[in-house]
Amino acid sequence: MVKALTFQRDILIFAFLTLLCAFLAMPRAMAADEEAGRVKVSKGEVFIERGGKRIAAPVGTSVQASDTVLTGADGSVGITFHDNSLLSAGPNSELVIDKFVFDSTTHKGEFDTSLKKGTLAVVSGKIVKQSPESMRIRTPAAIMGVRGTEFVVKVDDPATN
Amino acid sequence: MRPIIHAPAIIAALFFLGACSQSTVRDSEVLSRSEPVQFNNAPQPIEPEAVQPAAPARRDMVVLLPKPNGYIGGVVVRSEGSEPLLLNTAYAGARIDGPGQVHALAYDADRARDEFGSVIQSLPSRPANFVLYFLEGKDELTPESDGEVTRIFSELKSRPDPEIWVIGHTDAVGTMQYNDQLSLQRAERVRDDLVSRGIPAESIEVSGRGKREPLVPTSEGISEPKNRRVEINVR
């Protein structure tokens, strides 16, 4: 009797956690496929990794949330986002667009990117003007909360130099 | 009867799945460079050398730049285990040597240009801003604003992959809902006009800001011609 009750409880917990996981995974899936910005500057080798595939990224290429933007030794890329934020990456860079959500009526949104390596220049846009620090840049050891500004970031890993 | 799977096992499995789907590169990178962990029950003699800090695992940098108009904003640098560091002066910087190791740095214009000039040069052109004004309560342009459209065309020609963002605004007469609709109508009216002059519809995005962003702040219910406008960003 006690064992049977324990088993029932186990099933309930399992069902609850499964639903929770499905719920947490949902926004990520819904965010895909929507254009967050466009490549406006593309010099040398510039690629986007999307869904396990690597595509060349000339001027005019759509950039989406969850894309990874890569540049070669001679490459650099500039992207204009839908809230007028500007990002550029220098040679040998790896930049992940983790999240881009923007409501063009209220200007509320969230913008998360990660610089894994290389250099990045940032000019913040309307999301930050509406809600400071809703744009965040992650590096391997820190998170930069953006309060409306221009700045540059470098991720330098001595182990690979 | 014994249940085959126990709750703790299920929870552990789900935690593992969760950890896999949201793995942080930071942790794995830091771990990969650390010394191998030794399992030894014998007490270890304390050696002073072992306490000395190792060479920094990283040298990540951030430097705040003044905007072309001189405005200086702010960036807050957060790293686990250290106080947040606010950068809010021109060329203020920080070096992050690893989690919790944030050091303030002072750059200047020359040093920033030497280290970051090439990435700054790769920034896209800043969006150009144009404003068109409307007759009260209508979606018709004032005569002066008709001429502005010509300047928008020359801006479009100067850019690679040009896009247009048309943003409608209203004054503070009427409800939020009424003004959201009116501002969108004004934006759509401008979009249709631009399309009829030969701009591809797919390169134009429209939105209505309603009365949220007045050019001239007024009290509720005040009619203000300068707020009845459509802003055009060319980017």
Side-chain angles (χ1 to χ4, degrees):
Chain A
M1 185 62 192
V2 175
K3 292 275 184 190
L5 277 176
T6 315
F7 188 48
Q8 271 186 345
R9 195 196 60 192
D10 285 2
I11 288 178
L12 274 174
I13 291 171
F14 180 77
F16 171 71
L17 288 175
T18 308
L19 281 171
L20 190 73
C21 281
F23 179 71
L24 289 175
M26 214 163 49
R28 194 175 289 214
M30 275 161 47
D33 283 6
E34 221 171 276
E35 184 179 274
R38 293 242 208 124
V39 173
K40 301 290 185 181
V41 176
S42 181
K43 290 179 212 149
E45 276 191 317
V46 179
F47 296 101
I48 289 177
E49 261 178 12
R50 182 180 300 157
K53 284 184 184 151
R54 181 177 280 208
I55 54 169
V59 169
T61 306
S62 258
V63 177
Q64 304 172 358
S66 80
D67 281 355
T68 299
V69 182
L70 299 158
T71 58
D74 64 341
S76 61
V77 62
I79 305 164
T80 300
F81 286 83
H82 276 210
D83 77 320
N84 286 353
S85 303
L86 313 177
L87 293 188
S88 64
N92 290 320
S93 296
E94 182 178 347
L95 179 71
V96 183
I97 313 302
D98 299 307
K99 188 174 189 182
F100 183 86
V101 181
F102 176 56
D103 181 322
S104 62
T105 300
T106 62
H107 287 185
K108 289 195 173 112
E110 272 186 282
F111 192 179
D112 288 318
T113 57
S114 300
L115 183 67
K116 305 286 187 188
K117 62 172 189 170
T119 49
L120 173 72
V122 180
V123 178
S124 65
K126 306 241 184 198
I127 289 175
V128 169
K129 205 167 184 187
Q130 171 68 35
S131 359
E133 292 198 52
S134 49
M135 182 188 199
R136 290 166 293 261
I137 310 285
R138 283 159 211 275
T139 69
I143 301 173
M144 327 288 170
V146 185
R147 292 188 179 174
T149 192
E150 305 193 12
F151 62 101
V152 282
V153 184
K154 181 160 68 178
V155 169
D156 190 4
D157 188 344
T160 61
N161 285 352
Chain B
M1 192 190 120
R2 251 185 92 80
I4 298 164
I5 305 167
H6 277 282
I10 295 165
I11 293 168
L14 284 167
F15 264 98
F16 176 69
L17 284 172
C20 288
S21 66
Q22 303 194 350
S23 71
T24 56
V25 173
R26 182 184 68 198
D27 293 346
S28 58
E29 283 188 358
V30 170
L31 279 177
S32 67
R33 267 189 299 280
S34 59
E35 292 298 310
V37 180
Q38 289 184 2
F39 295 100
N40 191 344
N41 289 332
Q44 299 280 319
I46 297 162
E47 292 171 39
E49 288 83 2
V51 185
Q52 275 184 5
R58 319 205 54 86
R59 281 193 310 265
D60 299 350
M61 314 283 263
V62 52
V63 182
L64 194 65
L65 306 173
K67 275 186 177 287
N69 65 8
Y71 173 82
I72 297 154
V75 169
V76 185
V77 183
R78 292 189 169 85
S79 185
E80 211 178 309
S82 75
E83 289 289 305
L85 174 66
L86 172 63
L87 309 178
N88 60 357
T89 54
Y91 304 108
R95 193 185 75 225
I96 306 109
D97 291 340
Q101 295 167 269
V102 180
H103 310 281
L105 289 176
Y107 267 65
D108 57 39
D110 289 341
R111 196 175 157 202
R113 200 182 309 112
D114 286 351
E115 280 186 44
F116 295 100
S118 77
V119 68
I120 293 168
Q121 272 182 2
S122 301
L123 278 169
S125 303
R126 276 145 222 275
N129 201 43
F130 301 90
V131 183
L132 306 177
Y133 294 95
F134 281 79
L135 301 171
E136 187 172 1
K138 295 184 180 176
D139 61 2
E140 274 176 55
L141 289 178
T142 61
E144 307 81 61
S145 292
D146 256 342
E148 190 78 347
V149 176
T150 320
R151 299 207 311 155
I152 294 170
F153 267 80
S154 64
E155 183 65 42
L156 281 171
K157 284 187 189 132
S158 74
R159 286 173 183 254
D161 181 42
E163 293 170 273
I164 301 181
W165 185 14
V166 184
I167 308 157
H169 299 274
T170 66
D171 61 21
V173 179
T175 62
M176 199 75 158
Q177 199 189 359
Y178 167 79
N179 283 304
D180 278 1
Q181 203 180 349
L182 179 60
S183 63
L184 191 60
Q185 272 174 18
R186 285 177 173 164
E188 285 168 347
R189 149 82 174 69
V190 169
R191 182 205 40 211
D192 294 348
D193 191 59
L194 293 171
V195 170
S196 74
R197 292 175 200 227
I199 295 174
E202 59 270 21
S203 67
I204 307 176
E205 186 192 337
V206 293
S207 53
R209 280 280 273 162
K211 54 180 173 180
R212 291 174 187 79
E213 204 179 318
L215 203 62
V216 181
T218 68
S219 337
E220 231 3 79
I222 301 296
S223 167
E224 172 53 64
K226 284 208 164 71
N227 292 338
R228 296 192 293 269
R229 70 204 196 274
V230 164
E231 204 187 322
I232 294 184
N233 287 181
V234 179
R235 62 189 184 196

